Amino acid sequence: MSSAATAHATHEEKLSFWRKYIFSVDHKVIGKQYLFLGMFMALVGGLLAYLMRWELAWPESPVPGTGWIPEPTMFQGVVPPEFYNAIVTMHGTIMVFFVAMPILLGAFGNFLIPLMVGAPDMAFPRLNMMSFWTIFTASVVMIASFFVPGGAASAGWTGYPPLSANPVYTGVNWGITLWILGLALEFASFLMGGINFLTTTVSMRARGLKMMRLPLMVWMQITAAVIFMLSVGPLIAGAVLLLLDRTAGTSFYTVAQGGDPLLWQHLFWFFGHPEVYVILLPGLGAVLEVLPVFSRKPIFGYKAIVYSTIVAGVLSFIVWAHHMFVSGMNFKLVMPFSITTILISVPFTIILLAMMATLWKGAIRFTTPMLFAVGTLAMFIIGGLTGIFLGSATADIYLHDTYFVVAHFHYTLISAVFLGGFTAMYFWFPKMFGRMMNETWGKVHFWLTLVFFNLVFMPLFKAGLGGEMRRLYDPFQYDFLKPHQPLHKFATIAAILLFASQIPFLINFFWSLFKGKIADRNPWQANTLEWTAPSPPPHGNFEIAPSVYHGPYVYSAPNMNMKEDWQPQDQPLAS
Amino acid sequence: MFDWFPKNISTYGGDIDAVFWLIFYIVGAGFILGEAVILYLVIRYRRKEGRRAAYIAGDKISELAWILVPAAIVLVLDLGIDFAGGEAWSKVKGETPASDIKVIVTGKQFNWNFTYPGPDGQFGTDDDLTLENELHVPVKKVVDLSLNSEDVLHSFFVPVMRLKQDCIPGRKIPAWFEATETGEYEIACAELCGYGHYTMRGFLFVHSEEDYAKWTQERWPPAAADSTQVGQL
Ligand code: HEM
Ligand SMILES: [Cu+2]
Ligand SMILES: [Cu+2]
C-alpha cells in the first residue's frame, strides 16, 4: 500500500550480509547485538562468580574444572589471593557495565524505544551503530585485561585509590589501565546511546503520542538515560585524573604530593549511586509493561509512577555520600545524606504499590513473563527494604562493607537485572525473533531461578550480621568468622544450582529461535505500538506511520467484551 | 532477639544495635505485609472463566489514596528512623569524650600498628611504644584513637565494639570506644587493601585495670630516669 514500505522491502534485500547483521544501522539488529553481547558477558561474569563462591566455601582448594588455567593466574585450580581480588573486581565491573547496561538499556532500550514511540528507527542510526561497536571494543579491552602481565584490575569495582592509583600496591599495572580505558569506552558508548534514546523519544513520536501517553518502559528508559548522562561526567573527569596519576606521574589522589583519595570517592559515588537507578529503572519498566497485559487491567496510577520515577531520579543525585558514612568525611554532613537516602524509599513505595494495585481485581494469567514480573516485584521489595538499614548511617557503621551489603545489592540488582531482564526477554521474544518461547520450560526456569536465587543470597544477610567483611579471599582466617563456613557452603551449592537452572533458559532460547512456534503480531493482546508492527518488524518498522489516540493501558474498559478486552494505541477508543 | 551479632562489649554498641532492631521491626513488618499482599492478590485474582478484570486506572485522587496514604506512613517511619539514628550517630562519631588512654592506629599493608605515647604521655618521643597487631586497653576507660594509614585505605573494624572507621593516608581520623568487658577479641580490616587484605587481622586485649597497669609496666620501656612519672599510680 505505501510506497515507503515497498521501498524498505527492496532496500532490505539489497543489503549485504555484513550490512544487515554486523554493521547494521537498524535499531532492532543493534538491540539484538547488545543482547548477545550481554548474554556472553553474563556467562563470563557468572564463571567469575563461580570461582569466588567456590573459594568462599572451600578456601584454597582446587576449583573443579579449572585445572587447565595456567600459572600464575591459578595454581592447579587453586585461586591465589591476588587473583581473587581481580575476580571480585571484574565480576562487579562486568555485571554492572557489561551485562546489566547492555541488556536492559542496550538491548531493550534500542529495540523498544523506536517501536514504542512509532518511529521507523532511532534518531541517529549511525551513531547507534557506533555506540554498539564502541561497547564491543570496550568488552574486548576488559576481557583482554585478564591476559596482560600482572593480570586484571584488582582494586574492587569501585577502584578506590591509592590502591588503584599505583601498581606498587597491587602488582597490577596494565590491568588497571585497561580497566579505566574499557570503562571510558563503555561510558562513551552509553552517552551516544542516551542521546539517541532521548532525541528519538522527544522528537520522533507518532502523531498523537503525547508524553503522558508513552509506555512506562519508554519513560523508564529515558529517565535512566538522563540520569546516566548527568552523572557520568564527574566520573569521567575522575577517571582521567586516575589515568594521569597512573601514567603521567600526577598526584591527584596521592597524599604525599597533596592529593586526596576521598576526591575519587565523591566523584565515583556521585556517578555510582545514580548508576544503580540506571539499571533498576528499565528492569522495573519491563515489569510495568507486563503487569497490565497479563492482569488485563490499566496500570494503576500512571502519572504517579512517572512523577515518582522523576523524583527518585532527582533524589539519586543527592545521596551519594551514603557510601561514605565511615570514610572519614565530616561527621556532621552525614545526617543530611542519611535522610535523603532513606527518603528515596517514598517514590519507590509508590511505584511498588502501584504495581500491586494493578494486580488488584485483575484477571491474572500466569504466563512466563508474568511470573517473572511478579517475581521481580516480590524480590525487589527485599532489596529495597534492606537498603534502609544501610541508609541509616548509624546501622551502617556496623554493616558497611560486610556481606549484608553484598546480599542487599544482589537482591536489588539481580531482581532488576536478572528477573526484570527475563521478564523482558520472555515478553518481547516473539516481537524480536518472530517466534514464541516454550512456556513450560519458561516456567521451570522461573521457579528454579527464584528458589535458588534466594538460597544463594538469603544466608549472606546472616553472614553480614555476623560481621563478615566483603572481598575476603579467605574469611576463615578470622576466628569469629569460622562458624560461617556452613553458610558459605550452602550458598555455593545453591549458586551452582542457580547456574544450572539457566540451562533450561538457554536451551529454550536457542531452540525457540529456530524452531519455536511462529508468533503473530500481537500474541499477548497488548496495546502498545510495537505489537502493531509485524513480528519481527521489518527495516523501517511500520507499514504506515501509526497515529496514537490514547494511553497505552486501556484494558477491560466497561464498553468492551471479554474477548476483545483491549484497545491498541493506534485505534480510536470505541465509544 | 535473634543471636545474629557478635557479642557487644562497647558502651555505645547497644545504641547501634537498637537502631538496627528498630529498622528491623519496621522493615520486617513492611516485608511481611508486602509479600502477603502480593501472594493474596495473585491467588485471589487468577483468571477465572466468566470474571473480567475491573477497570481502575488509579488516576483519581480517591483511588490514589490507596497508595498515597501508605507512602505517607513510610515517610513518617523514615523520618523516625533518621531521628532515632541521629543521636546514636553523634555519640559514636561525634566528639570523643575525655580520656586518659590515647593510641595511634596506623594501617599498612597488611598490619595494624598501635602506637602508645609511652611513660611521658607524649607522642613522637623516644619512648613511644609501637606494637604490631596488638591493641591493649583497660576496661571501662574511654580509649581515644587516632587513625591513619601509611599506604592505601584500610578500615579499622572491631566487631565486638561496633566500631568501624576507614583509615586514610594523610588524615588523622578520630575514633573512640569504651569496653565493658575484659577479654581477647579480633580486629579486622574492612576495606579492600590488596592481596593480603584477608590477613590483616589484629587482636584487642581488654584488661582489667590492674592487669593493664601491670602490662604498661612490663611493656613500656622504663621511663628515661629524668622523665615524668611512669604512667601508673
Ligand atoms: C547470580 C549469580 C551471582 C553470584 C553467585 C554472585 C556472587 C558474588 C560474589 C561471591 C561476590 C563477591 C563478594 C565478596 O567477595 O565480597 C559478588 C560481588 C559483586 N557482584 Fe555478584 N553475583 C552474582 C550476580 C551478580 C549480578 C547479576 C550483579 C549485577 C548486576 C552482580 C554484581 C556484583 C557486584 C557489583 C559485586 C561487588 C564487586 C566488588 O566488591 O568489587 N553480581 N557477587
Ligand atoms: Cu587493610
Ligand atoms: Cu584490608
Side-chain angles (χ1 to χ4, degrees), chain A residues 232-310:
Chain A
V232 78
L235 183 63
I236 292 180
V240 170
L241 302 186
L242 185 58
L243 201 59
L244 290 174
D245 270 12
R246 294 184 55 79
T247 56
T250 58
S251 54
F252 294 102
Y253 304 119
T254 316
V255 180
Q257 286 99 355
D260 186 352
L262 276 194
L263 171 63
W264 168 268
Q265 294 191 22
H266 285 288
L267 295 173
F268 183 89
W269 287 116
F270 183 78
F271 161 80
H273 192 83
E275 168 67 17
V276 179
Y277 295 87
V278 171
I279 48 192
L280 217 66
L281 294 180
L284 296 182
V287 174
L288 285 164
E289 291 303 318
V290 166
L291 289 179
V293 174
F294 297 105
S295 44
R296 310 311 290 171
K297 274 190 69 201
I299 195 89
F300 188 95
Y302 175 96
K303 282 193 182 149
I305 294 175
V306 171
Y307 295 139
S308 298
T309 307
I310 294 170

Side-chain angles (χ1 to χ4, degrees), chain A residues 69-75 78-84 87 146-147 151:
Chain A
I69 302 178
E71 295 178 15
T73 307
M74 302 265 273
F75 291 94
V78 178
V79 179
E82 299 85 338
F83 187 50
Y84 182 82
I87 300 170
F146 278 106
F147 302 100

Side-chain angles (χ1 to χ4, degrees), chain A residues 443-513:
Chain A
K443 285 175 182 154
V444 170
H445 173 223
F446 169 74
W447 287 110
L448 292 175
T449 302
L450 188 78
V451 169
F452 290 121
F453 160 56
N454 280 287
L455 294 184
V456 179
F457 290 103
M458 206 42 99
L460 300 187
F461 281 117
K462 185 155 187 310
L465 295 176
E468 180 168 345
M469 296 74 75
R470 65 195 276 208
R471 299 169 169 178
L472 285 188
Y473 168 67
D474 177 1
F476 315 118
Q477 294 279 323
Y478 288 93
D479 287 332
F480 80 106
L481 296 180
K482 288 203 169 99
H484 289 181
Q485 194 164 11
L487 279 180
H488 278 294
K489 286 183 185 161
F490 184 86
T492 296
I493 292 167
I496 292 172
L497 293 172
L498 177 62
F499 294 135
S501 310
Q502 307 314 306
I503 295 172
F505 166 74
L506 284 177
I507 295 178
N508 194 354
F509 182 91
F510 286 105
W511 187 86
S512 304
L513 207 53

Side-chain angles (χ1 to χ4, degrees), chain A residues 238-499:
Chain A
V240 170
L241 302 186
L242 185 58
L243 201 59
L244 290 174
D245 270 12
R246 294 184 55 79
T247 56
T250 58
S251 54
F252 294 102
Y253 304 119
T254 316
V255 180
Q257 286 99 355
D260 186 352
L262 276 194
L263 171 63
W264 168 268
Q265 294 191 22
H266 285 288
L267 295 173
F268 183 89
W269 287 116
F270 183 78
F271 161 80
H273 192 83
E275 168 67 17
V276 179
Y277 295 87
V278 171
I279 48 192
L280 217 66
L281 294 180
L284 296 182
V287 174
L288 285 164
E289 291 303 318
V290 166
L291 289 179
V293 174
F294 297 105
S295 44
R296 310 311 290 171
K297 274 190 69 201
I299 195 89
F300 188 95
Y302 175 96
K303 282 193 182 149
I305 294 175
V306 171
Y307 295 139
S308 298
T309 307
I310 294 170
V311 168
V314 172
L315 280 177
S316 74
F317 285 96
I318 48 173
V319 302
W320 77 89
H322 66 211
H323 296 274
M324 301 168 66
F325 287 152
V326 297
S327 71
M329 68 173 204
N330 187 324
F331 85 100
K332 285 188 183 134
L333 271 178
V334 160
M335 270 301 136
F337 280 107
S338 192
I339 291 171
T340 52
T341 300
I342 298 187
L343 274 187
I344 289 201
S345 63
V346 175
F348 278 108
T349 306
I350 294 180
I351 296 174
L352 294 181
L353 287 171
M355 288 178 174
M356 293 187 208
T358 304
L359 298 173
W360 182 52
K361 294 198 174 177
I364 302 170
R365 187 146 52 100
F366 288 105
T367 57
T368 308
M370 185 63 170
L371 286 177
F372 272 100
V374 176
T376 310
L377 171 60
M379 293 300 112
F380 184 75
I381 291 182
I382 303 181
L385 288 175
T386 50
I388 308 255
F389 291 95
L390 304 168
S392 158
T394 312
D396 189 59
I397 297 173
Y398 180 72
L399 297 174
H400 182 74
D401 268 336
T402 64
Y403 263 86
F404 190 92
V405 177
V406 176
H408 152 72
F409 70 68
H410 281 93
Y411 263 99
T412 316
L413 290 175
I414 293 197
S415 58
V417 176
F418 267 47
L419 302 180
F422 282 129
T423 306
M425 191 71 253
Y426 282 101
F427 186 58
W428 281 294
F429 188 91
K431 186 55 60 185
M432 287 183 117
F433 299 105
R435 290 175 185 271
M436 304 299 289
M437 282 180 87
N438 180 294
E439 275 289 313
T440 314
W441 283 109
K443 285 175 182 154
V444 170
H445 173 223
F446 169 74
W447 287 110
L448 292 175
T449 302
L450 188 78
V451 169
F452 290 121
F453 160 56
N454 280 287
L455 294 184
V456 179
F457 290 103
M458 206 42 99
L460 300 187
F461 281 117
K462 185 155 187 310
L465 295 176
E468 180 168 345
M469 296 74 75
R470 65 195 276 208
R471 299 169 169 178
L472 285 188
Y473 168 67
D474 177 1
F476 315 118
Q477 294 279 323
Y478 288 93
D479 287 332
F480 80 106
L481 296 180
K482 288 203 169 99
H484 289 181
Q485 194 164 11
L487 279 180
H488 278 294
K489 286 183 185 161
F490 184 86
T492 296
I493 292 167
I496 292 172
L497 293 172
L498 177 62
F499 294 135

Side-chain angles (χ1 to χ4, degrees), chain A residues 60 81-82 85 89 154-156 160-163 168-170 255 260-262 265 294-304 325-329 331-332 334-335 338-339 342-346 349-350 353-354 356-357 359-366 374 377-379 381-382 385-386 388-389 391-402 404 462 465-475 477-481 553-562 565, chain B residues 3-6 15-17 19-21 23-28 30-35 37-38 40-59 63-68 70-72 74-75 77-79 81-90 92-95 109-110 112 150-153 155 157-160 162-171 173 186-203:
Chain A
E60 290 159 77
E82 299 85 338
N85 290 348
T89 305
S154 65
Y160 283 0
L163 193 61
V168 298
Y169 298 130
T170 51
V255 180
D260 186 352
L262 276 194
Q265 294 191 22
F294 297 105
S295 44
R296 310 311 290 171
K297 274 190 69 201
I299 195 89
F300 188 95
Y302 175 96
K303 282 193 182 149
F325 287 152
V326 297
S327 71
M329 68 173 204
F331 85 100
K332 285 188 183 134
V334 160
M335 270 301 136
S338 192
I339 291 171
I342 298 187
L343 274 187
I344 289 201
S345 63
V346 175
T349 306
I350 294 180
L353 287 171
M356 293 187 208
L359 298 173
W360 182 52
K361 294 198 174 177
I364 302 170
R365 187 146 52 100
F366 288 105
V374 176
L377 171 60
M379 293 300 112
I381 291 182
I382 303 181
L385 288 175
T386 50
I388 308 255
F389 291 95
S392 158
T394 312
D396 189 59
I397 297 173
Y398 180 72
L399 297 174
H400 182 74
D401 268 336
T402 64
F404 190 92
K462 185 155 187 310
L465 295 176
E468 180 168 345
M469 296 74 75
R470 65 195 276 208
R471 299 169 169 178
L472 285 188
Y473 168 67
D474 177 1
Q477 294 279 323
Y478 288 93
D479 287 332
F480 80 106
L481 296 180
Y553 307 114
V554 185
Y555 295 100
S556 307
N559 60 354
M560 297 173 182
N561 63 35
M562 297 255 312
D565 63 353
Chain B
D3 196 14
W4 285 340
F5 295 111
D15 300 18
I16 295 180
D17 292 0
V19 173
F20 176 88
W21 289 114
I23 303 173
F24 180 82
Y25 290 122
I26 294 176
V27 155
F31 167 71
I32 292 173
L33 211 69
E35 303 293 350
V37 167
I38 294 176
Y40 169 77
L41 290 173
V42 295
I43 293 173
R44 171 75 177 74
Y45 295 110
R46 288 190 325 270
R47 179 196 293 273
K48 290 203 194 82
E49 269 320 308
R51 192 174 58 75
R52 66 181 290 152
Y55 185 77
I56 315 167
D59 285 335
E63 287 166 356
L64 263 186
W66 284 103
I67 285 182
L68 296 180
V74 168
L75 179 66
L77 292 175
D78 282 355
L79 293 174
I81 290 172
D82 283 320
F83 266 105
E87 238 167 89
W89 172 265
S90 24
V92 181
K93 296 289 180 188
E95 301 293 309
Q109 289 183 325
F110 299 101
W112 293 110
E150 262 177 31
D151 37 41
V152 300
L153 306 180
S155 188
F157 180 29
V158 193
V160 289
R162 309 294 187 264
L163 169 60
K164 188 180 286 142
Q165 179 60 57
D166 285 5
C167 305
I168 303 181
R171 279 181 205 224
I173 302 176
E186 282 173 296
I187 297 172
C189 174
E191 182 76 76
L192 179 65
C193 56
Y195 64 85
H197 167 54
Y198 70 110
T199 61
M200 190 157 162
R201 168 176 178 235
F203 295 92

Side-chain angles (χ1 to χ4, degrees), chain A residues 16-35:
Chain A
S16 68
F17 173 83
W18 285 91
R19 266 274 162 233
K20 200 164 161 194
Y21 296 110
I22 310 294
F23 295 104
S24 173
V25 291
D26 181 346
H27 72 100
K28 297 181 293 298
V29 178
I30 295 173
K32 290 175 200 171
Q33 289 175 323
Y34 270 107
L35 181 68

